[in-house]
Amino acid sequence: MRSEIDAIRAFLQAQPRPADLVARRARLDSFGRRDALPPGTRVTPVDAGGVPGEWTLCPGVDSERVLIFLHGGGYMAGSLDSHRHVVARAGQDAGVRTLALAYRLAPEHPFPAALDDAVAGYRFVLEQGISPEQIALCGESAGGGLAVAAALRLREAGDPLPGCLWLSSPWIDLALRGNSFRTKAAVDPMIQRLYLSELAAAYLSGADPQNPLASPLYADLKGLPPTLIQVGSDETLLDDAVCLAGAAGSAGMNVTLRIWPAMIHAWHLFFPNLAEGRAALSEAGTFVDGHLKPRNMEPNMRTEAASV
């Protein structure tokens, strides 16, 4: 009997990535448009500091805590449509409101446009009266790298940092030095090195691929908030996640690395048909819920309560 992940592999292999950029974007968007949101979910468009976005609110969640989500797509694709179902489920599992950001894409808007938008969206949430301890900054694939880069930019600017980071299948080395591009090439139907080299060139537009704000692997990560990194064992980006966790640990960060057996790049996208996708989102929800300040509780009260 074919496993769920094997069925996902077959689905992807039957829908190869088109060469045309418009068609590529439509293909990724179609992954999210197939799936319904949790019953009773409210989705509200918003101008988030000049960045198009969507508030998502599932029944029973705490609207005073916010998960900001930055979609994947290699900085050239992905949208509110492609990841709306993932964002809603993540918010439901974490028990929080979510804000998905439609940051600008390359090649029309190369680095650092996406980073500028991510920072603007975070500052927008602060302006709504949400405390930084009640914000999780999260992203998938390129969005995962973007979340770390945004935290670095905020740290350097003296802005208050979010309560935690959640990174799924993060792309954090645009120099593409990971050995898993070779060792996992035969088992990851989503992402290959040649395709990523094209995406990196379009996004960087001549910028240094080792610029820490484009490739956070080369950054000083000291002082960043608690972070959950999730990656599949069959991902070509496996080494990106493992190396990031090592760098974060060396910098004294509180970091959790979870390697999910047999999972491919961005397996969360397929959670309606994949038990491991649902389990990974549940794990992320538990992490976010446990690291954000509860409603109407002062920052030091949470620490005191945990020590009782």
Side-chain angles (χ1 to χ4, degrees):
M1 181 177 178
R2 186 167 64 175
S3 70
E4 290 179 334
I5 192 60
D6 285 341
I8 299 300
R9 292 177 192 276
F11 166 77
L12 292 168
Q13 289 164 356
Q15 298 191 46
R17 183 179 293 108
D20 177 73
L21 178 57
V22 173
R24 284 180 181 177
R25 289 173 172 172
R27 173 180 177 267
L28 183 52
D29 286 353
S30 72
F31 292 168
R33 287 176 174 152
R34 300 175 307 142
D35 300 308
L37 304 184
T41 300
R42 287 188 290 151
V43 178
T44 307
V46 63
D47 179 334
V51 184
E54 285 182 350
W55 287 115
T56 301
L57 190 67
C58 295
V61 306
D62 182 354
S63 63
E64 294 183 9
R65 300 191 297 167
V66 174
L67 185 158
I68 300 174
F69 191 85
L70 304 167
H71 64 75
Y75 297 107
M76 287 181 67
S79 68
L80 299 176
D81 285 345
S82 64
H83 286 73
R84 185 176 291 115
H85 65 308
V86 173
V87 174
R89 180 64 177 247
Q92 182 183 56
D93 285 349
V96 301
R97 181 166 49 142
T98 64
L99 174 65
L101 296 174
Y103 57 84
R104 288 170 290 172
L105 300 176
E108 300 94 330
H109 305 284
F111 174 79
L115 176 58
D116 293 340
D117 288 355
V119 170
Y122 177 81
R123 289 173 172 163
F124 165 78
V125 175
L126 292 178
E127 290 167 1
Q128 307 312 299
I130 306 297
S131 71
E133 298 90 354
Q134 293 174 310
I135 301 173
L137 186 55
C138 312
E140 174 210 274
S141 191
L146 188 56
V148 181
L152 292 168
R153 169 80 73 79
L154 292 164
R155 183 192 67 186
E156 296 309 310
D159 290 71
L161 295 180
C164 66
L165 304 176
W166 162 44
L167 318 173
S168 62
S169 301
W171 184 26
I172 50 80
D173 181 11
L174 275 63
L176 306 176
R177 294 184 172 183
N179 190 47
S180 53
F181 286 120
R182 177 183 60 83
T183 61
K184 301 297 181 179
V187 291
D188 190 346
M190 282 287 280
I191 293 290
Q192 297 292 316
R193 191 182 191 283
L194 182 61
Y195 178 56
L196 283 179
S197 66
E198 175 189 340
L199 299 179
Y203 178 58
L204 292 169
S205 189
D208 183 356
Q210 295 188 42
N211 182 323
L213 294 180
S215 297
L217 180 61
Y218 303 102
D220 175 6
L221 302 173
K222 185 176 182 179
L224 295 192
T227 299
L228 171 64
I229 303 172
Q230 295 177 317
V231 67
S233 70
D234 285 359
E235 292 200 43
T236 53
L237 284 177
L238 174 62
D239 282 359
D240 274 45
V242 172
C243 291
L244 178 63
S250 295
M253 283 179 59
N254 177 350
V255 59
T256 300
L257 172 66
R258 282 278 284 122
I259 301 176
W260 284 73
M263 291 299 104
I264 63 174
H265 183 68
W267 77 97
H268 303 67
L269 271 173
F270 308 103
F271 77 85
N273 301 299
L274 186 61
E276 289 89 346
R278 295 188 293 276
L281 287 169
S282 177
E283 175 183 76
T286 298
F287 177 86
V288 169
D289 181 45
H291 284 84
L292 297 191
K293 185 181 74 172
R295 183 197 301 263
N296 297 325
M297 182 177 284
E298 295 301 325
N300 62 337
M301 289 177 64
R302 186 169 182 268
T303 302
E304 292 169 0
S307 64
V308 174

